[in-house]
Amino acid sequence: EPCQEESINIFFLDGPDGGTAKALIHRGDFFASQCFVANRHKSSCESLRQSGGGLLPDENVVHASASEALTMAKTMIKPLSGLDEEKFGRIAQDENAMNSGDKNGAFADIDFAAYYFDGCGGFVPQIIDMLSAALVQKQQQNVDNVNNSNNGSNIPCIPSTQPIVIGYSLLGGNKDVVGKELAISQALATMARQRNMRMIHVLDEPTRYGISSHIQKVGGSGGGGTFTTWLLLQPNE
């Protein structure tokens, strides 16, 4: 839904044409200052910035991967408890998603109400890495700050008070897309538990969240190019 409360920030991946930024600002009524983008191509970053003719403030566009932009300093991701590591792989094993240096990612200290990860080519570990950088590392840092006090639970739990929207696209529309979505959803459900949250599939009840019931889950050329999933992490009462 349209949102003009500037305290709400959103992180997403976008290309040089700024298509996602345009949709959020022109149709979603978000302010440009609420939109934050990471892109691994310097030329794309220049096109997205206002100084290069784009829509976004220069400081809101960073030349980095999503994992790099969101990673907390000195935070090493551990395997998520309850997740089948052999099936899904070690979370955030990519060196870009495991920052052991002294410097936070450009957006690591920003609280985001929504994330959208696009252009992933259907590669499940890459999407899970990005989700982990966005959701697990900050939570793990909070756990460290309270001396890993987890009330005897196997999964450290730092309560979250605000809902978080998660969207991602699997490109290609191949026959394995359902299994890939399941793998990502299972990993995300584990991350949600760490934050004392539950995961909701938004398109199960689209009108409840202000979305048209006619929205298509599969889009793109010929209706089979992009498979998009929207999830809501809701704090447990």
Side-chain angles (χ1 to χ4, degrees):
E1 291 188 6
C3 177
Q4 294 191 353
E5 184 180 339
E6 287 198 82
S7 61
I8 293 178
N9 300 307
I10 50 180
F11 175 87
F12 52 96
L13 303 181
D14 209 352
D17 64 347
T20 302
K22 289 176 185 176
L24 288 168
I25 295 169
H26 295 158
R27 299 205 303 269
D29 289 336
F30 283 89
F31 293 111
S33 59
Q34 295 174 272
C35 302
F36 294 79
V37 171
N39 192 296
R40 302 185 71 166
H41 301 284
K42 185 177 180 180
S43 60
S44 295
C45 292
E46 292 171 349
S47 297
L48 289 164
R49 293 174 178 141
Q50 290 174 350
S51 61
L55 293 173
L56 303 180
D58 287 16
E59 63 271 18
N60 285 28
V61 180
V62 62
H63 179 211
S65 68
S67 297
E68 290 169 332
L70 298 170
T71 294
M72 300 289 289
K74 293 186 179 300
T75 300
M76 300 296 285
I77 290 299
K78 303 170 185 177
L80 294 177
S81 177
L83 189 65
D84 187 335
E85 187 174 337
E86 181 178 351
K87 183 177 180 181
F88 302 121
R90 184 181 178 88
I91 299 301
Q93 62 183 356
D94 188 314
E95 61 182 1
N96 289 336
M98 297 178 67
N99 180 0
S100 59
D102 295 321
K103 186 177 180 181
N104 282 350
F107 304 145
D109 295 320
I110 299 174
D111 287 325
F112 290 103
Y115 299 87
Y116 175 61
F117 301 117
D118 192 7
C120 305
F123 187 53
V124 171
Q126 183 181 7
I127 299 175
I128 294 178
D129 280 352
M130 292 188 290
L131 291 171
S132 182
L135 299 173
V136 178
Q137 295 199 33
K138 185 173 292 185
Q139 187 271 350
Q140 186 170 309
Q141 186 71 31
N142 289 339
V143 171
D144 292 340
N145 291 342
V146 295
N147 297 318
N148 292 315
S149 175
N150 58 16
N151 298 320
S153 170
N154 290 328
I155 301 178
C157 184
I158 297 296
S160 296
T161 59
Q162 299 297 327
I164 301 173
V165 175
I166 303 290
Y168 64 87
S169 292
L170 296 170
L171 306 184
N174 58 53
K175 63 182 180 180
D176 298 326
V177 71
V178 174
K180 291 178 179 179
E181 183 192 36
L182 177 61
I184 295 167
S185 292
Q186 289 178 343
L188 184 56
T190 301
M191 297 179 201
R193 286 203 305 275
Q194 288 188 320
R195 302 175 66 103
N196 195 28
M197 305 178 87
R198 64 186 184 279
M199 187 178 73
I200 299 169
H201 288 261
V202 173
L203 296 188
D204 287 348
E205 297 182 273
T207 56
R208 180 179 180 182
Y209 302 101
I211 300 173
S212 169
S213 59
H214 300 294
I215 189 171
Q216 293 185 342
K217 188 174 180 67
V218 180
S221 177
T226 306
F227 187 91
T228 301
T229 297
W230 287 103
L231 302 162
L232 178 65
L233 304 187
Q234 187 75 33
N236 288 321
E237 299 179 357

